[in-house]
Amino acid sequence: SQTIHQWPATLVQPVGSPLSLECTVEGTSNPNLYWYRQAAGRGLQLLFYSVGIGQISSEVPQNLSASRPQDRQFILSSKKLLLSDSGFYLCAWNGLSALSDNEQFFGPGTRLTVL
Amino acid sequence: KQEVTQIPAALSVPEGENLVLNCSFTDSAIYNLQWFRQDPGKGLTSLLLIQSSQREQTSGRLNASLDKSSGRSTLYIAASQPGDSATYLCAVRRYGGSQGNLIFGKGTKLSVKP
């Protein structure tokens, strides 16, 4: 079965510091991968998605970047964090099998607090 | 631009009651619709996926319906239990395949009282 991991689970960082959040998927190959952010009182917002190694699409202009160095690894980064980067970051992947056509599955999330 | 709305934002019911959560979307050209559950501080758990060609899906005490033409979906929970307390999110996908990101509503926070 497929599993999605995210780490760290929680993170407290000062303004201006760098960021690296990691997401890995097990049990599938060539998945579509997504980074979402959930801010307090707001819905989930898509930040980036990737359809393959090195292929990144950005949905909104922001202080963050993403990379996909391996098929099942997706990384969210920032060179200098802002207060507004605080939130709950969720990684997700797409199931593309006939039994779960385009059903999306989410990881456990990373709670980021920027002080 | 697709917008997804969930009403009510919060709901409190006594245990054992049947309830309906509502989701509406502005653009009926969707590929599928997915209902999720989110417990506090946790990720999203997929509950039901309805393809655009389907009218409903069922899983245990949960039943989700889809009316594309009117831009509505409902999640019916039968015989609610305290363990059902969570935030329920609906999300629509415009396209299949590589462009298939989800557009989410803000959720309905459900509290089931013992």
Side-chain angles (χ1 to χ4, degrees):
Chain A
S1 63
Q2 298 88 358
T3 308
I4 181 167
H5 302 279
Q6 287 186 245
W7 63 88
T10 61
L11 193 59
V12 180
Q13 292 284 96
V15 169
S17 64
L19 173 74
S20 182
L21 303 181
E22 189 166 342
C23 169
T24 58
V25 182
E26 296 177 356
T28 187
S29 60
N30 196 31
N32 292 340
L33 296 173
Y34 305 84
W35 278 112
Y36 292 86
R37 177 170 60 201
Q38 188 176 36
R42 302 174 67 177
L44 274 89
Q45 180 186 37
L46 178 69
L47 301 176
F48 301 96
Y49 71 91
S50 171
V51 300
I53 296 174
Q55 300 179 64
I56 307 295
S57 295
S58 174
E59 288 296 301
V60 293
Q62 60 202 311
N63 184 43
L64 302 170
S65 62
S67 62
R68 186 168 176 177
Q70 300 180 43
D71 180 46
R72 289 169 288 177
Q73 184 184 33
F74 204 21
I75 296 173
L76 184 70
S77 304
S78 174
K79 293 182 179 179
K80 290 185 177 181
L81 283 169
L82 306 173
L83 286 173
S84 58
D85 292 323
S86 293
F88 193 47
Y89 288 82
L90 289 157
C91 181
W93 72 279
N94 243 23
L96 296 175
S97 70
L99 292 177
S100 61
D101 185 25
N102 282 291
E103 186 171 6
Q104 200 154 113
F105 301 96
F106 283 75
T110 294
R111 173 74 59 191
L112 172 65
T113 303
V114 182
L115 301 175
Chain B
K1 178 185 174 185
Q2 178 73 272
E3 293 183 0
V4 180
T5 303
Q6 291 186 247
I7 296 173
L11 181 64
S12 182
V13 301
E15 182 177 4
E17 193 163 294
N18 301 326
L19 60 100
V20 174
L21 305 181
N22 296 294
C23 172
S24 61
F25 45 95
T26 55
D27 185 348
S28 62
I30 64 170
Y31 185 80
N32 62 30
L33 183 146
Q34 202 167 346
W35 280 94
F36 295 89
R37 168 188 173 135
Q38 186 177 28
D39 294 287
K42 304 294 185 182
L44 277 65
T45 300
S46 179
L47 298 174
L48 290 164
L49 172 71
I50 310 179
Q51 302 296 348
S52 61
S53 58
Q54 298 174 323
R55 297 285 292 183
E56 65 177 347
Q57 282 287 337
T58 298
S59 176
R61 294 183 293 109
L62 305 179
N63 176 277
S65 68
L66 175 63
D67 184 343
K68 260 184 49 175
S69 60
S70 66
R72 293 179 184 175
S73 176
T74 62
L75 180 66
Y76 175 82
I77 303 177
S80 58
Q81 303 171 359
D84 295 329
S85 298
T87 296
Y88 291 80
L89 297 155
C90 76
V92 299
R93 179 191 304 278
R94 177 74 186 272
Y95 305 106
S98 62
Q99 299 181 60
N101 60 284
L102 295 173
I103 307 297
F104 281 86
K106 293 185 178 181
T108 294
K109 186 174 182 179
L110 173 65
S111 177
V112 181
K113 305 294 185 183

